[in-house]
Amino acid sequence: MAVEAQGAEEGGLVFHPMDQFIVKPLFGGSEVGMFTITNVTLWMFLAVLAVVALMVLGTSRRAIIPSRTQSVGELAYGFVYKMVEDVAGKDALAFFPYIMTLFMFIVFANFLGLIPMSFTTTSHFAVTVVLALLVFVTVTVVGFVKNGSKFLGLFWVASAPLALRPVLAVIEVISYFVRPVSHSIRLAGNLMAGHAVIKVFAGFAAIAVVSPISVVAITAMYGLEILVSFIQAYVFTILTCVYLKDALHPSH
Amino acid sequence: MATVTTEAAGEYGADAAASAPGMPQLNFDHWGNQIFWLLITLAVIYFVLSRIALPRIAAVLAERQGTITNDLAKAEELKRQAGEAEQAYDKALADARAEAQNIIAEAKAEIAAELKVATDKADAEIAARTAESEKAISEIRAGALDNVKEVARDTAEALVTALGGRADSAAIDAAVAERTKG
């Protein structure tokens, strides 16, 4: 889809590891406007379909003894539910649907991105920055609504010596505002790097002698990427829970 | 190794002619499009999950938990009943054994009593019969002695008569009694 032809089109080795990330209109034209239907639209739509298939169609029989799909759906539910409960506490369960939405979207976008020729929506900073900012804004608003000005106690380390507290407060404030940056760059960076490395290995496959090594390397990278896809979704979700815990219980 | 050519803007083709060299991620012209579709996607997923999927899964899990709890309680109840039944069975068995022992002892005692009665009765009968027999024998013996005396007296009378004397019955009786005494 978004992937250009690789390899020796002009005689030598030509690498286009980043071409897979180009946003393109789906139905011709070259302008990408706000509402243009692009490959982003397609792959996000597929992610929605996958979520619906697993969580709605898969559980439609409401069986006491679950089918395989229902089992996986319940597993995902239990996984995130327990994470929210354990990390952020019982009172964070009101945010469970929101966190579940983030997790399901990221995990499916990541895995759909592993399909050859597909487009990885979560490898784009535009996407992850919005996701991270949504979390950041939610957490900050919830923190102030629930705790009022006590939420600022998050930055005032009461257990530290008084002389150190202003310094620590500055560090805490900086780290608080860096959160959305690291939160978003971690996800997009991991996916982008992995996919780009696979493309680079694929580029080397144009040399006949190197191609077996290239294939083995791509296979290995692909396995690693499967891990990364899940782990990054997990990391994003659990960090959201951690931030939410800070908002609900700001004391150190 | 050939040199690794980095992406030049021209390599992207007509679609992305405007994109910055390097990462398409940093082409801010496309951010609006991505953010727009992302927000729609998140809204749809949130709606589907919070309205349909999550309540349904929660209900299924609760129902399953309920079923498991019920089944466990039922199993516990059945186990308790089985235990009670076993105890009742053991008790009934012990009772039956005790009763059997009683019945055997009673029967033994009864039989012994009956046997004793029967033996006593038989003994008494035997004693009575013996006494009766002895009496009969002594009667017979007495009868025989009287007969002997009679015969002796008759014979003595006949002898006295034959010898020409006159039979003195008193003397004969005395003589017979004298001779038959020993």
Side-chain angles (χ1 to χ4, degrees):
Chain A
M1 197 121 306
V3 183
E4 309 274 84
Q6 298 288 326
E9 30 184 42
E10 287 146 25
L13 282 174
V14 182
F15 294 93
H16 298 289
M18 303 308 276
D19 284 8
Q20 57 178 325
F21 302 122
I22 296 172
V23 177
K24 280 190 280 189
L26 218 49
F27 305 109
S30 58
E31 282 301 304
V32 177
M34 183 93 157
F35 309 115
T36 315
I37 294 176
T38 57
N39 45 3
V40 177
T41 320
L42 173 70
W43 289 98
M44 282 187 181
F45 176 69
L46 290 177
V48 172
L49 275 192
V51 172
V52 170
L54 177 64
M55 303 303 284
V56 177
L57 304 183
T59 58
S60 58
R61 283 171 54 212
R62 300 160 185 264
I64 291 289
I65 299 161
S67 62
R68 285 182 199 177
T69 328
Q70 190 184 327
S71 245
V72 175
E74 286 172 7
L75 218 61
Y77 179 98
F79 179 69
V80 178
Y81 191 91
K82 205 164 154 34
M83 197 195 302
V84 175
E85 196 179 17
D86 289 353
V87 177
K90 283 248 181 230
D91 44 352
L93 286 176
F95 298 93
F96 168 60
Y98 176 57
I99 293 171
M100 187 74 181
T101 304
L102 291 178
F103 177 76
M104 292 311 282
F105 171 70
I106 295 171
V107 87
F108 273 110
N110 288 356
F111 275 108
L112 285 172
L114 282 177
I115 298 172
M117 312 299 283
S118 73
F119 177 83
T120 318
T121 48
T122 38
S123 68
H124 274 266
F125 294 130
V127 171
T128 58
V129 162
V130 170
L131 291 173
L133 276 178
L134 281 176
V135 170
F136 180 78
V137 170
T138 310
V139 164
T140 310
V141 168
V142 167
F144 278 112
V145 167
K146 290 250 175 185
N147 306 292
S149 57
K150 278 187 201 157
F151 182 56
L152 293 173
L154 184 63
F155 308 114
W156 195 252
V157 188
S159 55
L162 190 60
L164 272 179
R165 283 183 209 169
V167 183
L168 284 175
V170 171
I171 294 171
E172 289 283 338
V173 169
I174 293 172
S175 87
Y176 187 80
F177 283 97
V178 167
R179 274 176 181 183
V181 178
S182 62
H183 207 186
S184 58
I185 290 181
R186 182 182 303 111
L187 175 58
N190 267 289
L191 287 157
M192 181 176 61
H195 286 245
V197 166
I198 287 183
K199 286 291 175 201
V200 171
F201 281 134
F204 280 118
I207 306 170
V209 184
V210 188
S211 58
I213 302 166
S214 184
V215 168
V216 170
I218 290 174
T219 312
M221 271 310 291
Y222 196 88
L224 190 66
E225 281 307 290
I226 289 175
L227 264 177
V228 167
S229 290
F230 181 78
I231 289 170
Q232 287 307 317
Y234 173 73
V235 165
F236 193 96
T237 317
I238 203 160
L239 280 176
T240 306
C241 292
V242 169
Y243 298 161
L244 200 57
K245 191 204 84 181
D246 281 348
L248 295 170
H249 317 282
S251 55
H252 275 271
Chain B
M1 282 296 153
T3 51
V4 178
T5 57
T6 51
E7 305 75 27
E11 304 268 2
Y12 285 131
D15 296 341
S19 62
M23 292 159 59
Q25 279 87 346
L26 297 180
N27 180 355
F28 292 98
D29 295 347
H30 295 164
W31 276 46
N33 181 272
Q34 297 187 56
I35 290 168
F36 171 72
W37 291 114
L38 172 67
L39 291 178
I40 288 183
T41 303
L42 289 181
V44 171
I45 294 178
Y46 182 81
F47 180 82
V48 167
L49 287 183
S50 62
R51 289 295 161 87
I52 306 171
L54 300 184
R56 182 188 287 172
I57 293 174
V60 169
L61 291 180
E63 196 181 334
R64 182 174 309 143
Q65 195 54 48
T67 310
I68 289 170
T69 312
N70 279 348
D71 284 1
L72 281 180
K74 211 181 283 175
E76 196 64 32
E77 172 66 17
L78 287 176
K79 196 180 166 194
R80 199 181 56 73
Q81 282 180 6
E84 275 175 11
E86 200 190 346
Q87 277 180 0
Y89 167 77
D90 283 348
K91 192 170 175 294
L93 198 65
D95 285 356
R97 283 222 174 98
E99 202 172 328
Q101 295 293 342
N102 282 344
I103 289 171
I104 289 170
E106 264 173 34
K108 263 186 188 163
E110 206 170 304
I111 288 168
E114 272 176 20
L115 202 59
K116 194 168 181 301
V117 168
T119 312
D120 287 353
K121 197 176 163 195
D123 282 352
E125 203 165 316
I126 288 165
R129 290 258 176 93
T130 310
E132 215 168 282
S133 302
E134 274 172 1
K135 196 180 157 201
I137 289 167
S138 67
E139 265 171 21
I140 289 167
R141 190 180 282 158
L145 200 59
D146 284 350
N147 283 346
V148 168
K149 278 179 184 171
E150 191 86 8
V151 169
R153 201 184 305 129
D154 285 352
T155 309
E157 217 173 64
L159 273 173
V160 168
T161 311
L163 290 173
R166 202 183 49 91
D168 184 355
S169 61
I172 289 169
D173 284 347
V176 167
E178 177 77 17
R179 297 295 169 99
T180 57
K181 202 184 272 177

